[in-house]
Amino acid sequence: MNIFQKYQKALSNEERQALSFCTQVADDMGIKIYLVGGIVRDILINREFNDIDILVEDDAVLFGDILTKKFAKNIEILARNDKFKTLKIKFTIGTKNFEADLASTRSEVYEYPSALPILAETGVVLKKDIKRRDFTVNALAMSLNSKDFCQIYDETENGLNDIENGLIRILHPDSFMDDPSRIVRGLKYRAKLNFSLEETTEILQEQCLKSDKYTNDCQDRIKKEVKETLNLLLPYCFNRFVSENIYKLIISQTSKKDIPNGNLVCKIIDGCKNFIDTENIWLIFLCMIFNFAPFELVGNNTEKLALKRKEQAIITDFFLLKSELELLQNAKTNYDIYEILNKYSPEAVVANLCLTKETELADKYYLYINKLKDIKLSVSGEDIEKFGIENGIIYKEILNGTLKEKLNNNLSQAEEKSVFKNLCALAKNKTEDLIN
Ligand code: CTP
């Protein structure tokens, strides 16, 4: 299949029509435009692409303004950045809506290792823009101008070969030091595309992970990539994250040999997918690493990661539940198990389950996850009120008492109501006795 055929196969009729609008305007303006990055890579390897990224070898904002004026019925500007000269636009073609990013070619500089890149110049020639990118396979551009439509521009000279040979190769020796989050991106692409690291890239990755020159400035980017990569829930990602020391981007020290294997962890998480928020899978994997790291390091490092409150709560819950393991081991009844586990976030429960070596303990986690956590009371505080009992701590005692009986004795709804009524009557008698 030639490249034009691949392009036709990868894009829908509507997407191709939208891009033909871009072609017309760019040709009229006499400027070069390209598809760039992931979309080109994915078209070439016959893989579904994520986003439409259009690179304008000039001013993308000016291009976008002219484009939206000419095709006002089909194109709308969603966002614009006048400093970076980028635009997000929405196409409406027939009944279909889809977005695209327009970016001006630009050059960037890193003031020091892992700093946020600073914009140097916009509207630069394609080759200069390509230099700031991460991997050769992400650095290909495909012309959208009519005179060389679909021609591939392989400015690094390795992109096409590396796609052919399945290799992830950085563009220059400082790439990982400039932006260590690229190490995690490399792992993500290896897993998603089934590619491997090119030899020199592998050595440079090792060197970067050994050095402590990078600062915390790129923790946001690292967090984003680690989340995306580990959330893929692939044993390969977690096993390599550990074996290649990529975890060092998050925590400098842990006892690697004790960390459970990715196959096991993925299997357990997969079995608990309905119980957890799948956006938080990466935090379960991080708990596996934090569990074998010096405790004082965990606090410092999660702080650097700037976790959201809910994310931080998962890590904290993981350690709190771990400190209650003996209690869980000794738990005899369903209610005892429920009372311990129900206090913690589901992801913290699953993380502890992943580390459990005892079958009896694992059974308790599964009993909670698969059954107990879904058992809910059919009565509430409002029903207690109907008995004329004054609101207070007694409400909690009645509801907990009913739940305890329900969990421990598998009560039917009628049985539950009867237990509840008895508890309410007892409580009412007690308060009346106190008054008299
Ligand atoms: N990029 C980079 N360094 C990063 C992140 C991104 O050099 N830390 C560059 C890459 O060359 C990438 C482009 O910015 O092609 C856009 O990044 P992103 O949107 O993450 O990737 P896509 O190209 O859209 O590819 P995909 O979504 O398929 O991963």
Side-chain angles (χ1 to χ4, degrees), residues 358-369:
E358 300 162 40
T359 330
E360 213 180 304
L361 193 56
D363 287 346
K364 288 181 179 172
Y365 284 112
Y366 281 122
L367 177 65
Y368 172 74
I369 293 169

Side-chain angles (χ1 to χ4, degrees), residues 61 153 164 175 342:
V61 173
Y153 285 77
E164 185 76 25
S175 181
N342 198 46

Side-chain angles (χ1 to χ4, degrees), residues 36-38 41-42 50-51 53 132-135 138 179 181-182 185 188-189 192 221 224-225:
V36 72
R41 178 201 69 216
D42 290 339
N50 289 333
D51 345 278
D53 286 314
R132 71 181 172 84
R133 294 176 182 264
D134 53 359
F135 304 112
N138 284 347
D179 179 354
S181 75
R182 287 177 174 160
R185 285 174 69 82
K188 176 177 77 182
Y189 290 122
K192 278 181 152 181
R221 279 171 282 160
K224 174 179 173 286
E225 297 299 341

Side-chain angles (χ1 to χ4, degrees), residues 10-53:
L11 283 87
S12 64
N13 289 340
E14 291 82 2
E15 285 163 342
R16 280 184 276 126
Q17 192 181 340
L19 292 185
S20 78
F21 295 157
C22 299
T23 302
Q24 283 180 45
V25 172
D27 283 355
D28 287 351
M29 288 174 74
I31 59 174
K32 287 286 307 163
I33 60 164
Y34 309 86
L35 286 177
V36 72
I39 183 167
V40 180
R41 178 201 69 216
D42 290 339
I43 291 173
L44 292 176
I45 56 178
N46 300 313
R47 190 174 173 273
E48 212 173 296
F49 61 86
N50 289 333
D51 345 278
I52 303 180
D53 286 314

